[in-house]
Amino acid sequence: FYGRDSPMMAVLDLLNDANKLPVRAVILGAGGIGKTTLALAILHHPTVVHKFNERIYFVSCEGCLSTSMLVNEIAKVLGIQNDSDSALKEQEMISYLESSPGLLCLDNFETLWNADSQIKQTVTMLLQKLDSILCVALLITMRGLEYPEGIVCSKPLLPPLQPLSFEASQKVFHHISSKWDEWAARLVEAVEGLPLALTIIAHLAQSQNCKFLWQQWEETNIKLVERGKGHRLTSLETSVELSIEGYHLRSHPTALVILSLLGMLPGGLAPERLNCFQYLFEDTQRTKESVNALLKSGLVYQSFDTLHVHPLIRYYSRKHLPLSVEHMKLLKQHYIDL
């Protein structure tokens, strides 16, 4: 665990400051950026363990497709075995949390937040009830850049997590693999500080030569960054797919075309230049909304007034969301004319 001292200390300062209670902290960022890892480091920090003792609760929202499923998951973590209906179980859950100080972490909360509007409404109501429990601190992790409604986040707000620095990435790679040479450095540079990709490659390097891994990287790119299929913590492709399947993007079909377009442009694209590519979009009226949806999902980021995607997401979009042959011809012709 390297390179996250600043956000971790920000949350610890909130939790240790009696004047800041009740704490409501939200960790945001793209898929694979290390939100869960940061949350677990906070939950296991000695000062947090000393403050809350055994009343520290980690709830994964990944499999929750409704508010009642979330209530069941929280109740299970709290040790509530009641088989009553959802409303009674929710009441018992609230009563339990109100009984003494505690820390409740809702991990991968975007699973519910990015669902349809009806589910989002009921989830917001549940958050409001949890927010009203003044003796319980809330720590929420969500992919994307949008803070959830229903709670008043503690100030200062945590900025979305950014990729690790090269120095921190080097420490992570060496700590896991016990290796470091010019080929390891190339691998670390290639994943550009994305913790999920970095840790997967480092684990591969435990049993494989770094030069051989680099040769594989040059051939396969994102396919190499996979330790297991079908789970966001072991497969970068699965992590990206979870972001793409979120409600933000499902309600904006044009967003995926823009993602495909940015996947072809390593130097990024100024937002105003999207107007030059309106012929690629079926819905030309909602380009700005689609860009906002991509930014909120964390798949796209803005730097120096230019829209960019992380190289690994570029590889993903080229593999799974390629522009059509006709669109590619139009894109090439645009740059030839330019």
Side-chain angles (χ1 to χ4, degrees), residues 256-319:
L256 295 185
V257 183
I258 295 174
L259 187 63
S260 301
L261 175 65
L262 292 172
M264 299 304 301
L265 306 174
L269 185 70
E272 58 270 18
R273 288 198 61 76
L274 277 172
N275 296 328
C276 301
F277 301 102
Q278 291 293 357
Y279 51 78
L280 297 179
F281 312 139
E282 293 179 13
D283 185 358
T284 58
Q285 301 300 316
R286 297 191 174 181
T287 304
K288 185 176 286 188
E289 293 178 16
S290 297
V291 170
N292 288 335
L294 285 166
L295 290 168
K296 286 180 179 179
S297 71
L299 290 168
V300 171
Y301 66 94
Q302 197 159 353
S303 177
F304 299 105
D305 298 324
T306 304
L307 298 172
H308 295 270
V309 293
H310 190 279
L312 294 176
I313 296 177
R314 264 206 323 273
Y315 298 137
Y316 177 93
S317 66
R318 290 178 186 176
K319 179 180 177 182

Side-chain angles (χ1 to χ4, degrees), residues 42-316:
I42 292 167
L43 297 186
H44 287 88
H45 194 275
T47 60
V48 174
V49 174
H50 177 73
K51 184 180 182 69
F52 295 103
N53 297 312
E54 295 182 358
R55 291 181 66 86
I56 299 173
Y57 309 107
F58 179 87
V59 178
S60 173
C61 304
E62 191 169 0
C64 299
L65 303 177
S66 66
T67 308
S68 60
M69 289 180 72
L70 176 59
V71 169
N72 286 336
E73 195 64 28
I74 296 174
K76 184 170 70 175
V77 170
L78 296 179
I80 298 172
Q81 304 296 330
N82 195 334
D83 292 329
S84 58
D85 63 49
S86 184
L88 289 174
K89 188 172 286 187
E90 181 181 314
Q91 192 174 12
E92 190 171 349
M93 173 193 79
I94 298 294
S95 298
Y96 184 95
L97 290 171
E98 287 176 333
S99 62
S100 60
L103 172 57
L104 175 64
C105 176
L106 301 178
D107 184 53
N108 252 103
F109 192 68
E110 79 283 342
T111 305
L112 286 153
W113 199 251
N114 292 340
D116 61 51
S117 56
Q118 186 174 357
I119 294 176
K120 186 173 179 179
Q121 185 177 4
T122 59
V123 170
T124 301
M125 292 171 64
L126 179 61
L127 269 187
Q128 290 171 338
K129 292 177 183 177
L130 292 173
D131 188 49
S132 68
I133 305 174
L134 302 184
C135 64
V136 170
L138 287 177
L139 179 62
I140 297 174
T141 77
M142 290 177 64
R143 65 178 59 207
L145 308 179
E146 186 178 35
Y147 294 90
E149 302 163 20
I151 61 171
V152 179
C153 294
S154 301
K155 305 298 188 297
L157 295 174
L158 295 178
L161 295 184
Q162 300 300 314
L164 296 175
S165 67
F166 180 81
E167 290 74 19
S169 299
Q170 179 183 4
K171 289 177 180 177
V172 171
F173 188 93
H174 183 264
H175 184 87
I176 295 172
S177 68
S178 299
K179 295 178 181 178
W180 189 254
D181 55 27
E182 65 169 296
W183 306 105
R186 291 189 187 188
L187 287 165
V188 168
E189 287 178 353
V191 299
E192 293 197 11
L194 192 69
L196 174 59
L198 181 65
T199 54
I200 291 174
I201 285 182
H203 277 97
L204 290 173
Q206 288 176 336
S207 58
Q208 298 183 49
N209 181 279
C210 289
K211 183 177 180 180
F212 174 69
L213 280 178
W214 173 252
Q215 291 169 343
Q216 282 187 286
W217 171 264
E218 288 192 302
E219 293 174 9
T220 62
N221 298 128
I222 196 171
K223 190 171 179 58
L224 181 64
V225 194
E226 187 166 295
R227 201 164 67 225
K229 294 187 180 294
H231 195 278
R232 64 183 177 85
L233 295 181
T234 55
S235 167
L236 187 65
E237 289 200 3
T238 301
S239 182
V240 174
E241 283 163 6
L242 285 171
S243 293
I244 287 174
E245 291 167 5
Y247 180 71
H248 281 311
L249 297 193
R250 281 190 280 113
S251 56
H252 294 92
T254 301
L256 295 185
V257 183
I258 295 174
L259 187 63
S260 301
L261 175 65
L262 292 172
M264 299 304 301
L265 306 174
L269 185 70
E272 58 270 18
R273 288 198 61 76
L274 277 172
N275 296 328
C276 301
F277 301 102
Q278 291 293 357
Y279 51 78
L280 297 179
F281 312 139
E282 293 179 13
D283 185 358
T284 58
Q285 301 300 316
R286 297 191 174 181
T287 304
K288 185 176 286 188
E289 293 178 16
S290 297
V291 170
N292 288 335
L294 285 166
L295 290 168
K296 286 180 179 179
S297 71
L299 290 168
V300 171
Y301 66 94
Q302 197 159 353
S303 177
F304 299 105
D305 298 324
T306 304
L307 298 172
H308 295 270
V309 293
H310 190 279
L312 294 176
I313 296 177
R314 264 206 323 273
Y315 298 137
Y316 177 93

Side-chain angles (χ1 to χ4, degrees), residues 279 327-337:
Y279 51 78
H327 283 165
M328 277 300 298
K329 286 180 180 177
L330 292 169
L331 182 62
K332 288 177 181 178
Q333 191 59 50
H334 169 83
Y335 280 99
I336 290 170
D337 293 342

